[in-house]
Amino acid sequence: MTRSQKKGPFVHEKLYRKVMQAKDTGVNTPIRTWARRCTIVPEFVGRKFEIHNGNRFIPLFVTEDMVGHKLGEFALSRTFRGHSGGRKR
């Protein structure tokens, strides 16, 4: 289920402030975040993030095509190891 149009996209305020501060100062170091549910807004384009997937931080460079998606979509948290049936010995 998607978020209501009336509410608008969810953007973590602290993360947004960090991005704007990095843009003002010109610093290009990756921004570490645990906010996987944060929506990518146009201000994030061209920035580097490190998104926590529950185990480690996954590096991400934001492009224009990613606007409107969530940060967590690009840092997979589950590893599929295959089905157990049908293995030959």
Side-chain angles (χ1 to χ4, degrees), residues 1-5:
M1 182 173 235
T2 60
R3 187 171 165 91
S4 171
Q5 289 287 334

Side-chain angles (χ1 to χ4, degrees), residues 30-53:
I31 299 170
R32 281 194 164 194
T33 183
W34 285 261
R36 297 171 52 85
R37 63 184 179 160
C38 178
T39 304
I40 298 173
V41 291
E43 287 82 7
F44 290 5
V45 173
R47 294 278 150 206
K48 294 178 186 175
F49 289 93
E50 289 183 348
I51 305 160
H52 198 256
N53 72 346

